[in-house]
Amino acid sequence: MKIGSDEMDMDTQTVKAKEDQDPRKTTSHQETENEKPERSRDSTIHTLRQFLVDTVFQPLLKDVNELRQEMERQLETWQAHNYGNAEEEKAAAEMWQSYLILTASLSQQLCEQLRLLLEPTQAAKLRGDYRTGKRLNMRKIIPYIASQFRKDRIWLRRTKPSKRQYQICLAIDDSSSMVDNHTKQLAFESLAVIGNALTLLEVGQIAVCSFGESVKLLHPFHEQFGDSSGSQILRLCKFQQRKTKIAQFLESAAKMFAAAQKLSQNIIPETAQLLLIVSDGRGLFLEGKDRVLAAVQAAQNANIFVIFVVLDNPNSRDSILDIKVPIFKGPGEMPEIRSYMEEFPFPFYIILRDVNALPETLSDALRQWFELVTASDS
């Protein structure tokens, strides 16, 4: 066996030696360098996450509760100082970006859910064929001439709804009770989620206002809602108003919606007007129960759909469900003690209590509400 193995090795060496001596098999060093290995022609994507963690992903990797508490402390520190205009605008812009980062996934989730619910109401796509219209159908021109101008249905009209035309107002309670109940942070988060989702959806016109002792328009209908709008709202909402005049606000909101309809150039009868109120829900009967109920009814008669989001932060001392109110029946009779929520003046409301359940609670509530809106329009 050993001899055979040695003979095979000798034969192999002989063959290699002959190949080395054969000039036809000799390959120069230059030709060897020019030879390229075979590579795949498919394109590939590579992400180096270690370079992104410090800029984009770092806020998302933190615990959500920890990040919210940190932002609330920053908000308190920022609003406690009297900065100049430039410094205040910079701080508000940075704060709004933090809210957008915190709620980015929630906004996208809400946007995709509402996309299936908000039916298009504005006709934007052209359809044919008609004898009169706004634009010629070029495919019908040759048959029109060939038919000796008899097949004259060559025009297109805008008949199929393909755009959403809604007017939605987000109202923020600017009263001091929002601070007392630790709901200010949740209010700004809700604003970021809803405002960004409606903007991504291109839902139509969006306005933002605050209310308390007085009503202030923070963002008008005719302007596009963007980052500058969010930072401006953070600057103007100080939560220092002592009273919550909800009836006065509803009356002002009805006038604002009516004026928006007159100023809008693309209003059609199917346009829906929605009012979304974000508040802690405390002290709504300051102006008298009858006036508040009349204002709510007047908004409904004006075809303004109202949904009230009650912010009930679990970290506050008292829940809105614990509040009791006396009901006076007549002179000489003992008042009846009832739960505050039994007398709540708005027919449609949600209680947003768990901060961690913000995406599910808010999405489910708005989905049910917009289903009601679209059902009413049909």
Side-chain angles (χ1 to χ4, degrees):
M1 293 294 293
K2 184 176 180 181
I3 297 176
S5 177
D6 294 339
E7 290 178 353
M8 290 179 62
D9 292 341
M10 293 176 60
D11 293 340
T12 303
Q13 293 175 2
T14 304
V15 173
K16 288 184 177 180
K18 291 181 179 180
E19 289 179 355
D20 293 339
Q21 294 175 1
D22 190 354
R24 293 175 299 177
K25 297 290 182 81
T26 302
T27 305
S28 65
H29 180 70
Q30 184 69 24
E31 291 178 352
T32 304
E33 289 185 348
N34 292 335
E35 291 182 357
K36 297 181 178 179
E38 294 184 1
R39 296 186 178 93
S40 173
R41 300 182 64 87
D42 297 334
S43 301
T44 58
I45 300 174
H46 304 272
T47 302
L48 303 179
R49 296 186 178 274
Q50 63 269 25
F51 296 111
L52 299 176
V53 172
D54 294 335
T55 56
V56 178
F57 293 99
Q58 185 177 10
L60 301 179
L61 296 178
K62 293 183 179 180
D63 182 76
V64 176
N65 289 330
E66 180 183 350
L67 182 57
R68 285 193 173 102
Q69 293 175 2
E70 180 182 343
M71 291 177 61
E72 189 170 5
R73 288 192 298 267
Q74 293 177 357
L75 185 63
E76 294 293 340
T77 304
W78 167 56
Q79 292 189 342
H81 291 79
N82 294 323
Y83 294 114
N85 290 334
E87 295 183 10
E88 186 179 5
E89 290 180 2
K90 180 181 179 181
E94 293 176 353
M95 186 65 64
W96 180 250
Q97 290 300 320
S98 299
Y99 280 114
L100 292 180
I101 293 174
L102 180 64
T103 60
S105 60
L106 312 183
S107 299
Q108 188 66 36
Q109 177 184 351
L110 180 60
C111 174
E112 294 306 319
Q113 290 178 351
L114 296 183
R115 191 184 303 276
L116 304 176
L117 300 173
L118 290 179
E119 296 180 354
T121 59
Q122 181 181 357
K125 291 186 177 180
L126 293 166
R127 297 184 64 183
D129 303 306
Y130 300 95
R131 287 192 174 92
T132 59
K134 294 294 184 181
R135 187 178 301 176
L136 283 171
N137 187 352
M138 301 307 296
R139 295 180 179 180
K140 299 292 183 179
I141 297 300
I142 295 179
Y144 172 60
I145 298 174
S147 66
Q148 296 183 354
F149 310 105
R150 289 194 302 270
K151 297 181 179 180
D152 55 352
R153 297 182 180 272
I154 58 176
W155 293 92
L156 300 174
R157 293 180 182 176
R158 300 187 188 276
T159 59
K160 183 179 180 179
S162 61
K163 284 187 178 181
R164 298 171 178 84
Q165 185 64 31
Y166 290 82
Q167 289 181 331
I168 301 178
C169 177
L170 305 179
I172 301 176
D173 188 351
D174 195 33
S175 63
S176 58
S177 62
M178 297 282 286
V179 179
D180 299 337
N181 297 298
H182 304 286
T183 52
K184 178 170 58 175
Q185 172 75 12
L186 187 55
F188 284 148
E189 285 189 45
S190 302
L191 171 67
V193 172
I194 301 170
N196 194 28
L198 296 178
T199 303
L200 291 173
L201 188 59
E202 297 182 351
V203 71
Q205 295 179 329
I206 303 174
V208 181
C209 61
S210 64
F211 65 94
E213 294 181 84
S214 61
V215 181
K216 183 182 296 184
L217 181 62
L218 307 179
H219 177 77
F221 276 115
H222 63 273
E223 293 184 5
Q224 183 71 25
F225 188 87
D227 292 347
S228 60
S229 306
S231 60
Q232 182 180 4
I233 293 170
L234 295 184
R235 292 172 53 201
L236 297 177
C237 286
K238 300 296 184 180
F239 302 99
Q240 297 175 351
Q241 301 191 47
R242 296 298 179 184
K243 299 178 181 179
T244 303
K245 297 183 178 180
I246 192 66
Q248 172 185 276
F249 162 70
L250 290 175
E251 294 165 359
S252 300
K255 296 178 182 178
M256 181 183 63
F257 274 115
Q261 275 193 337
K262 293 180 181 179
L263 293 177
S264 179
Q265 300 178 354
N266 299 322
I267 288 298
I268 56 176
E270 291 78 9
T271 299
Q273 294 182 327
L274 309 177
L275 176 60
L276 186 61
I277 303 175
V278 179
S279 169
D280 61 351
R282 314 294 177 99
L284 297 184
F285 295 119
L286 176 66
E287 303 156 284
K289 184 177 180 180
D290 293 338
R291 183 183 176 186
V292 173
L293 292 176
V296 174
Q297 185 62 44
Q300 292 180 356
N301 295 338
N303 293 326
I304 300 174
F305 298 93
V306 183
I307 182 170
F308 200 107
V309 180
V310 181
L311 303 180
D312 194 28
N313 196 313
N315 296 326
S316 60
R317 292 178 300 174
D318 301 320
S319 172
I320 195 172
L321 300 177
D322 300 330
I323 300 177
K324 305 292 183 180
V325 293
I327 305 297
F328 297 93
K329 297 183 178 180
E333 296 184 12
M334 292 294 294
E336 180 183 354
I337 304 300
R338 294 183 183 176
S339 171
Y340 178 72
M341 296 309 297
E342 291 182 11
E343 303 298 318
F344 200 71
F346 291 89
F348 301 98
Y349 66 90
I350 66 172
I351 299 179
L352 190 60
R353 184 179 301 108
D354 188 1
V355 178
N356 295 322
L358 178 62
E360 293 82 6
T361 305
L362 195 58
S363 300
D364 292 342
L366 291 177
R367 185 192 305 114
Q368 295 175 16
W369 176 253
F370 284 129
E371 284 177 352
L372 177 63
V373 171
T374 54
S376 301
D377 289 339
S378 58

